[in-house]
Each structure stands twice: as structure tokens, then as C-alpha cells.
Amino acid sequence: MTLIGGFVAQRTGDRRHLVLGFAAGLMLGVVAFDLLPEAMRQAPDEVHGVPQALLMFAVGFLTIHVVERAVAIHRGHESEYAEHTHGHQHAHAHGGRRQGVGLTAALALVGHSVMDGFAIGAAFQAGTTVGTVVAIAVVAHDFADGFNTYTITRLYGNNRRRALTLLAADALAPVSGAAITLAFTIPEHLLGLYLGFFSGFLLYLATSDILPEAHSPHPSRSTLLCTVAGVGFMWLVIGLAN
């Protein structure tokens, strides 16, 4: 399913803005309907009146925001300097940093897929029925993971070969995660904190990067409808899985 998602993302061509709009909707749906509710269930304890999972959600959002702003500020200084020196070298350096953000995001998605596999393994430890339901949910949203891994990697200027390598890693990740559970299990509380953090990370990417990119070439009603469709699709998938 991960590979199919990546293949669909790769074949879009000039309908890229529709794909990005749909990807942003999928990411918003995953965060709102899957990751955050699960994080809240697993890390409900409050710190100063706020659930720990939601605090980690804010930390995840702000962490990627701070990283991106730091790159942008450095980029601004670089461009001033480049006017007096060798502009091509600095443009290349900026491209490298931008690709790095894309790689970090894609690797985070791969890391999340490992946790997906872990969730399947842990659920089967709780019982066959629970395991089967969780497996169906994971397989369904692995399509979105594959789609987003390829889209994000390419969006930040990485070449097709690198995107396909990360897509392959994302496809193998759930198998690795499931295998890990044969050895030991992660405490539920820590898993909840991780899911909260990753939710903030994904939401930032969807709203700050992917949606503006989707609407920048030609803002259109169809792009907006694709975003709404992406959210609706995840609601349907998660509702059926539950």
C-alpha cells in the first residue's frame, strides 16, 4: 500500500497542485482523527491543566517551525552576501538545506511507519481481533504515508531516485516495527508523547509548506476540494477501521 501511494504521487504530472492539496488533506485527517486521539488516550496526564500529549503536539509544531525559520534567516543573510560573492555557490548551498528539510520530513514519516508496524505487533499481543483491526487501519493509511513520503521528498527539491529510496524505506518500515515487538514493548505513555509530537510536526508541514505550495501556481477551487476530499477520505478510513 505504501508503494502504491508513492506510485500514484509519482504519476501525477501537471496535476501536482491537486495532489499536494489532497496530500495536505490526508495529513490533516491523520493528525485530527488518528494520531492526536491515540496520543490523548495514551498520555492523558496533565501538566498545568493541559494533557501531556497536547503539550508535545505544540512542541512538535514549534520545533519544525524554529528549524525552518532558522534556515530562512540564514538564507536571507546568505543571499545578501551572495550579491557580493559567488552567487551560484550560495544558491547550491540553499538548495542543499532545502533538500535536507525534505529528507528530515520523509525520514520522520519512515520513523512513524516503524511505529505503525510496532502498533500492529503490540495489538496482536493484546488479541487477534484487536490486531486485525489495527492492521487494517495501518494498511489503509500506509497508502497516505507512501503518497506523502514521495510528495514531500520531491517538493523540497530532492531527485526522483532519492524519493524512491525513501519510499522503499517507508514500505519496509512497518515490517521492521512489527518485528521489534517480538523482542520488547514500548511503554504506552512514551508512545503517546511521541504521537503528540509527530502530530504537531505533520500539521506544520501540511499547513505551512504543502498547502501554500499547492495554491501558489494557480489558486483553484479544485485544489481546495482535493484538500477537503483528503480529510474526508481519512475520516472514512479511520471510521471503518474503528
Side-chain angles (χ1 to χ4, degrees), residues 73-158:
I73 290 164
H74 191 82
R75 195 185 298 152
H77 291 322
E78 242 186 14
S79 60
E80 289 169 21
Y81 182 68
E83 288 175 9
H84 305 288
T85 55
H86 307 291
H88 290 298
Q89 291 175 353
H90 291 278
H92 180 71
H94 155 46
R97 274 191 210 92
R98 184 171 161 74
Q99 288 170 13
V101 173
L103 284 176
T104 303
L107 286 171
L109 283 167
V110 172
H112 176 58
S113 291
V114 172
M115 299 308 293
D116 277 348
F118 191 95
I120 294 174
F124 271 106
Q125 286 179 14
T128 308
T129 309
V130 179
T132 305
V133 169
V134 171
I136 290 167
V138 169
V139 167
H141 102 244
D142 273 349
F143 174 85
D145 277 354
F147 191 101
N148 290 336
T149 298
Y150 186 87
T151 302
I152 287 171
T153 310
R154 293 289 280 147
L155 175 63
Y156 284 92
N158 290 283

Side-chain angles (χ1 to χ4, degrees), residues 8-192:
V8 170
Q10 189 186 338
R11 293 278 169 219
T12 51
D14 61 348
R15 292 181 293 280
R16 182 167 170 272
H17 60 291
L18 300 179
V19 172
L20 289 173
F22 188 70
L26 288 178
M27 290 165 81
L28 177 57
V30 166
V31 168
F33 309 143
D34 187 19
L35 298 181
L36 269 185
E38 189 62 32
M40 291 283 287
R41 277 193 292 272
Q42 295 184 3
D45 296 343
E46 295 186 353
V47 176
H48 199 60
V50 178
Q52 289 179 355
L54 290 183
L55 282 174
M56 290 304 291
F57 168 73
V59 169
F61 189 97
L62 289 172
T63 299
I64 184 65
H65 178 57
V66 168
V67 168
E68 280 228 314
R69 286 301 89 205
V71 170
I73 290 164
H74 191 82
R75 195 185 298 152
H77 291 322
E78 242 186 14
S79 60
E80 289 169 21
Y81 182 68
E83 288 175 9
H84 305 288
T85 55
H86 307 291
H88 290 298
Q89 291 175 353
H90 291 278
H92 180 71
H94 155 46
R97 274 191 210 92
R98 184 171 161 74
Q99 288 170 13
V101 173
L103 284 176
T104 303
L107 286 171
L109 283 167
V110 172
H112 176 58
S113 291
V114 172
M115 299 308 293
D116 277 348
F118 191 95
I120 294 174
F124 271 106
Q125 286 179 14
T128 308
T129 309
V130 179
T132 305
V133 169
V134 171
I136 290 167
V138 169
V139 167
H141 102 244
D142 273 349
F143 174 85
D145 277 354
F147 191 101
N148 290 336
T149 298
Y150 186 87
T151 302
I152 287 171
T153 310
R154 293 289 280 147
L155 175 63
Y156 284 92
N158 290 283
N159 61 31
R160 183 168 167 272
R161 187 175 169 186
R162 189 175 282 176
L164 289 174
T165 303
L166 282 161
L167 180 64
D170 197 32
L172 291 171
V175 182
S176 309
I180 290 169
T181 60
L182 299 173
F184 63 93
T185 53
I186 295 179
E188 191 176 89
H189 182 73
L190 287 180
L191 196 59

Side-chain angles (χ1 to χ4, degrees), residues 194-217:
Y194 157 78
L195 289 174
F197 182 89
F198 185 66
S199 296
F201 187 93
L202 266 193
L203 188 66
Y204 182 88
L205 289 180
T207 54
S208 178
D209 287 346
I210 294 182
L211 276 179
E213 185 76 18
H215 288 282
S216 62

